């Protein structure tokens, strides 16, 4: 049985008309005689959507009882028994009620497709699993009901149901989406213009990427090599020269002229190792391309024009941006250049832009390493000129101008030898000299048609001819070798300078350095291996590229770094000349690893120093802050025990109250000190469970006067996942701090509210407030703004530090904000319980679908 086809209507937000469009499609198919049924469609009380259900057969839903409530879900078995040609299944990302065989509706939908039933469904962009974090950062709401991207990507058709944010908000205001009592809250929260615009952009970009995938699949399946300019894709050819930045910016401007334009920076290197391109300049150009929204690509190719055109056609590019050649006028005798060759071979479907820049005509500088050292093609060409040239010249001289004279004949043969030397170097020139001397002797030196020479002067002439040919060939070959050495030294100096600068600045990470090694030498993968001893197994400290080597023995090239570290490269065997620079890379990689470890040790030392500071402060607190209440207690006890004074009943009560107050202060200080010590040593082990804030916050207010706090904690708040004791201590410390700093007669407000998946407890005071620059410092141990609170100066500055420590221990946060009108607001946020999150999400899904 053939698998059914899936069609999905994708929307940017609830209310754009996905379900309406799906039902309209169903009516069109019914008119064409297609057997179409409604497997599950939720109209959410929207009258226009409900009307569209009229005239459509609906498969009865299945009722499920769960937690004393009855829910209705799609009856998959009933749909399979009905076996329609097309089934409508709304809300693809929906989570089924526990008790059904599939947890998600998209799994139900898969059963229908396997049974050969075509399915039409709907989904919002915020329900795609890969976009969950992005949507949460935009809207502040985490979507619990998601569908894997692959499920949607596998759809045979995806249709975007689009609507502008302004039109959607008007639809919302007219009551066409939510009930009137929910409109204002929706418009001011989820349906803000910024949210809707961002979600719409996400939907458009996701669908555009899917269209690109379909296009590439079609072009590959039908072997379409011709470029289809569906959108502007601009390839910027980079050489590593200083003109690259100009070309990148020009390419970006060209891309901005059309919607959806894309810029791809391309650098092509040869496969023989180092090149004359500056690694530093290439790194700058890579960063520039990525900062401007493009991508950087590095490929290897022997024929630069062919490699660039192949890349452009492979990515379906529409334009190529190149710089006008930096060659001088006389250098064009060696060929038209890369730009002219690409413009000639690009064809009518690929536009080529040649951009002028400040480096035009200033010379190409040193050629790349392979071109500087005579390559195979030049050697072959030199051999052809040196061997076939003399034979062809002999035929011309004997047939057309037989009386040119021996001197002229020798000069002509010498010119061919020089040409062979210039083109192919030493060996083609020597071959040309040997062949030329034999031909001169046989055809032009009396007696002809024999290798004997009658005149001694002719012997000298031929000897001079051979000597000159060898000398010229040697000079040309020596120049090529010196040029090659100069190019290598220049490239090596650029790389070593780059490495030295990074050593001084400490900028390069290990992965970035290994990636630079891989690009510089054209390798497949690079790994930095280390081991503790000569017999210990190798471990990977860092790697880039596919299938990195696990041991130096597996590598094509390995460079030892010290006794227990090595860099392993796979891809090809490098020439010995490249190992010097590779050794510098390896040494730098070892330095980076050492630097990272030193940084870790420095961080640990910093933690130890902080611990020592805490211990020193604890000693200071014990010796000073604890002595004050002890002195008060001792003075009161001494007075009560004195036989010299007859204390009245009122005096005795006052002294006892002083003792009790001092003991309470001691208990509070010791409690904070012990809590801080537990936090510093990491011995706080929270017991997380569902807790009602009504049971915690009132208990936390026991340490402050009853008339100093106003409490506003709604009973409808969800349960929270916290350690009850730690939350109580955290709230208590924050409230006590707020009361301590409030002005006389002012009351502190303690309120709580639910936002997304968290509950925020806000403690608001009208005190002097705290400047922004010290808002974080007040949460450090032994820190008090102004060095002392109002009043008697008790406290060691641990209350807020302990409060934040306990809040973080239970997975919450605590931060300070300014109170409008003056004062400070402490915001303590904790997570709601998972089950309550599920119920809230189900409710919100029902509202927003």
């Amino acid at each position: 049985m053939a698998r059914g086809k899936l069609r999905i209507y994708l929307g940017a937000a609830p209310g754009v008309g996905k379900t309406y469009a799906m039902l309209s499609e169903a009516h069109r198919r019914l008119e064409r005689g297609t057997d179409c049924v409604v497997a599950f469609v939720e109209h959410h009380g929207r009258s226009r959507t409900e009307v569209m259900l009229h005239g459509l057969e609906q498969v009865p839903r299945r009722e499920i009882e769960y937690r004393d409530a009855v829910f209705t879900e799609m009856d998959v078995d009933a749909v399979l028994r009905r076996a329609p040609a097309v089934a409508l299944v709304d809300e693809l990302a929906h989570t089924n009620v526990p008790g059904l065989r599939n947890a998600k509706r998209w799994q139900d939908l898969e059963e229908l497709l396997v049974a050969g039933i075509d399915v039409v469904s709907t989904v919002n962009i915020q329900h795609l699993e890969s976009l969950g974090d992005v949507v949460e950062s935009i809207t502040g709401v985490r979507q619990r009901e998601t569908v894997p991207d692959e499920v949607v990507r596998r759809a045979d058709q995806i249709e975007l149901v689009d609507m502008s944010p302004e039109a959607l908000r008007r639809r919302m205001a007219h009551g066409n989406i939510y009930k009137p009592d929910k409109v204002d809250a929706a418009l001011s929260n989820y349906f803000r213009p910024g949210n809707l615009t961002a979600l719409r952009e996400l939907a458009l970009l996701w669908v555009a990427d899917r269209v690109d995938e379909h296009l590439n699949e079609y072009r590959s399946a039908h072997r379409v090599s011709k470029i289809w300019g569906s959108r502007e894709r601009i390839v910027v050819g980079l050489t590593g020269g200083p003109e690259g930045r100009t070309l990148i910016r020009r390419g970006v401007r060209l891309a901005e002229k059309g919607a959806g334009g894309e810029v791809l920076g391309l650098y092509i290197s040869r496969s023989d190792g180092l090149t004359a391109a500056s690694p530093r300049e290439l790194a700058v150009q890579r960063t520039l391309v990525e900062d401007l929204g493009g991508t950087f690509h590095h490929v290897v190719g022997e024929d630069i024009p062919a490699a660039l055109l192949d890349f452009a056609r492979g990515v379906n590019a529409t334009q190529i941006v190149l710089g006008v050649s930096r060659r001088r006028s006389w250098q064009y005798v060696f060929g038209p250049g890369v730009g002219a060759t690409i413009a000639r071979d690009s064809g009518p479907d690929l536009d080529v832009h040649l951009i002028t820049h400040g480096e035009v005509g200033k010379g190409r500088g040193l050629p790349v390493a392979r071109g500087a050292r005579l390559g195979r093609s030049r050697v072959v060409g030199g051999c052809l000129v040196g061997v076939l040239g003399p034979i062809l010249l002999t035929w011309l001289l004997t047939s057309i101008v037989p009386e040119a004279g021996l001197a002229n004949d020798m000069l002509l043969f010498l010119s061919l030898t020089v040409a062979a030397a210039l083109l192919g170097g030493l060996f083609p020139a020597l071959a040309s000299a040997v062949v030329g001397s034999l031909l001169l002797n046989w055809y032009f030196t009396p007696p002809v048609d024999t290798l004997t020479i009658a005149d001694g002067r002719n012997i000298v002439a031929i000897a001079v001819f051979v000597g000159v040919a060898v000398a010229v060939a040697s000079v040309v070959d020596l120049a090529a070798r010196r040029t090659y050495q100069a190019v290598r030294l220049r490239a090596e100096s650029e790389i070593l300078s780059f490495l030295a600068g990074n050593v001084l600045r400490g900028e390069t990470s290990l992965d970035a350095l290994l990636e630079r090694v891989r690009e510089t030498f054209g390798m497949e993968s690079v790994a930095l291996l280390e081991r503790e001893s000569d017999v210990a197994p190798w471990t990977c400290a860092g790697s880039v590229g596919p299938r990195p080597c696990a041991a130096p023995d597996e590598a094509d090239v390995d460079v030892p770094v010290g006794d227990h570290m090595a860099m392993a490269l796979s891809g090809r065997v490098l020439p010995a000349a490249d190992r010097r620079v590779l050794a510098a890379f390896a040494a730098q990689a070892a330095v980076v690893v050492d630097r990272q470890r030193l940084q870790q040790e420095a961080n640990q030392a910093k933690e130890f120093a902080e611990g020592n500071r805490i211990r020193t402060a604890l000693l200071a607190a014990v010796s000073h802050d604890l002595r004050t209440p002890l002195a008060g207690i001792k003075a009161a006890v001494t007075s009560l025990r004195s036989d010299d004074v007859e204390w009245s009943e009122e005096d005795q009560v006052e002294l006892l109250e002083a003792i009790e107050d001092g003991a309470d202060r001691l208990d509070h200080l010791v409690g904070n000190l012990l809590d801080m010590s537990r936090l510093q040593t990491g011995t706080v082990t929270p017991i997380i469970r569902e807790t009602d804030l009504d049971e915690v916050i009132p208990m936390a207010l026991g340490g402050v006067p009853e008339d100093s706090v106003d409490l506003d904690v709604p009973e409808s708040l969800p349960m929270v996942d916290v350690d009850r004791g730690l939350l109580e201590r955290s709230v208590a410390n924050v409230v006590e701090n707020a009361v301590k700093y409030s002005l006389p007669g002012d009351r502190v407000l303690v309120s709580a509210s639910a936002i997304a998946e968290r509950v925020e407890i806000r403690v608001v005071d009208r005190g002097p407030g705290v400047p922004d620059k010290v808002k974080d410092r007040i949460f450090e141990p032994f820190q008090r703004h102004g060095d002392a609170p109002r009043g008697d100066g008790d406290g060691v500055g641990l209350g807020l530090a302990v409060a934040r420590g306990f809040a973080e221990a239970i997975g919450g946060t605590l931060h300070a904000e300014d109170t409008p009108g003056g004062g400070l607001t402490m915001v303590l946020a904790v997570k709601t319980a998972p089950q309550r999150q599920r119920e809230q999400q189900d409710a919100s899904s029902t509202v927003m679908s």
Side-chain angles (χ1 to χ4, degrees), residues 566-577:
M567 180 177 286
L569 298 87
S570 63
R572 64 188 179 90
V573 178
L574 291 178

Side-chain angles (χ1 to χ4, degrees), residues 383-403:
C383 290
L384 293 176
V385 171
V387 176
L388 298 181
I391 296 175
L392 180 61
L393 179 61
T394 300
W395 177 78
L396 291 174
L397 291 176
T398 55
S399 302
I400 300 175
V401 283
E403 302 299 332

Side-chain angles (χ1 to χ4, degrees), residues 680-703:
Q680 290 293 326
T681 57
T683 57
V684 177
T685 306
I687 302 175
I688 304 298
R689 62 187 180 201
E690 290 189 8
T691 304
D692 195 333
L693 289 180
D694 287 341
E695 302 174 1
V696 177
I697 295 181
M699 298 294 296
L701 305 182

Side-chain angles (χ1 to χ4, degrees), residues 437-443 445-454 462:
S437 61
L438 291 175
L439 292 175
L440 280 171
N441 192 356
W442 186 272
Y443 288 101
T445 305
V448 296
D449 298 332
T450 179
L451 293 178
T452 60
I453 302 175
I462 292 178

Side-chain angles (χ1 to χ4, degrees), residues 749-769:
L749 173 62
V750 179
S751 64
S753 59
I755 300 177
E757 300 168 6
R758 66 185 187 276
V759 173
E760 289 187 351
I761 304 169
R762 308 179 77 86
V763 180
V764 184
D765 69 60
R766 296 289 179 179

Side-chain angles (χ1 to χ4, degrees), residues 390-727:
I391 296 175
L392 180 61
L393 179 61
T394 300
W395 177 78
L396 291 174
L397 291 176
T398 55
S399 302
I400 300 175
V401 283
E403 302 299 332
L406 182 60
N408 293 329
D409 294 339
M410 285 187 174
L411 289 176
L412 291 174
F413 275 94
L414 181 61
S415 65
L416 285 178
T417 302
V418 172
L422 292 175
L423 185 60
L426 180 62
F427 294 107
L430 292 177
S432 178
V434 172
V435 173
S437 61
L438 291 175
L439 292 175
L440 280 171
N441 192 356
W442 186 272
Y443 288 101
F444 303 103
T445 305
V448 296
D449 298 332
T450 179
L451 293 178
T452 60
I453 302 175
D455 190 346
R457 290 175 297 180
N458 293 337
I459 296 176
V460 175
I462 292 178
V464 171
F465 164 76
V466 174
V468 171
V470 172
V472 171
S474 300
V475 170
V476 171
D477 188 70
L478 180 62
R481 293 177 184 275
R482 292 291 182 264
T483 303
Y484 172 70
Q485 293 173 0
V487 169
R488 289 194 59 84
L489 291 174
R490 175 187 172 186
E492 289 181 9
S493 65
E494 288 277 2
I495 293 174
L496 295 176
S497 175
F498 170 77
L499 291 177
N502 285 337
V503 170
L504 295 175
R505 295 188 299 270
E507 294 177 352
T508 302
S509 65
L510 181 60
D511 288 344
L513 182 64
L514 296 180
E515 181 64 28
R516 178 60 55 80
V517 175
R518 190 174 72 89
E519 291 183 357
T520 300
F521 295 96
M523 306 300 286
E524 291 182 2
S525 65
V526 181
L528 186 65
L529 308 174
E530 62 178 347
R531 59 182 179 179
E532 295 180 357
S533 64
D534 293 338
V535 296
W538 290 96
T539 60
C540 183
S543 65
V544 295
R547 300 178 299 277
C549 301
D553 296 340
E554 302 175 4
D556 294 315
V557 181
D558 69 282
V559 179
V561 187
D563 295 331
H564 302 126
M565 185 176 288
M567 180 177 286
L569 298 87
S570 63
R572 64 188 179 90
V573 178
L574 291 178
D578 288 348
R579 294 184 66 90
R580 180 175 59 177
V581 176
L582 186 57
F585 271 113
Q588 170 67 358
V591 170
V592 171
V593 172
D594 291 340
R595 184 188 299 121
Q596 291 176 348
R597 290 174 178 169
L598 289 174
Q599 184 63 44
Q600 293 175 356
E601 294 176 0
N603 293 336
Q604 293 177 354
K606 185 178 180 181
E607 293 178 1
F608 291 150
E610 179 66 16
N612 289 332
R613 189 183 72 84
I614 295 295
R615 284 191 286 272
T616 303
L618 282 172
L619 291 174
V622 170
S623 62
H624 179 269
D625 294 89
L626 297 183
R627 186 174 296 175
T628 301
L630 282 174
I633 294 173
K634 181 174 178 60
V637 171
T638 302
S639 299
L640 286 174
R641 296 186 62 186
S642 175
D643 297 331
D644 299 337
V645 180
E646 185 71 25
W647 299 103
S648 65
E649 185 175 347
E650 292 80 3
D651 293 336
Q652 292 178 5
V653 170
E654 184 177 350
L655 289 172
L656 289 174
E657 288 179 351
I659 294 173
E660 184 179 12
D661 180 64
D664 290 341
R665 290 170 59 190
L666 273 178
D667 180 68
H668 182 74
L669 290 173
V670 172
N672 276 337
L673 289 171
L674 291 176
D675 290 339
M676 198 68 236
S677 176
R678 291 169 59 203
L679 289 170
Q680 290 293 326
T681 57
T683 57
V684 177
T685 306
I687 302 175
I688 304 298
R689 62 187 180 201
E690 290 189 8
T691 304
D692 195 333
L693 289 180
D694 287 341
E695 302 174 1
V696 177
I697 295 181
M699 298 294 296
L701 305 182
V704 297
E706 294 182 0
D707 60 348
S708 63
V709 176
D710 289 331
L711 190 60
D712 180 17
V713 180
E715 296 181 357
S716 60
L717 285 177
M719 303 281 280
V720 293
D721 248 359
V722 296
D723 182 301
R724 178 172 176 173
L726 296 183
L727 177 62

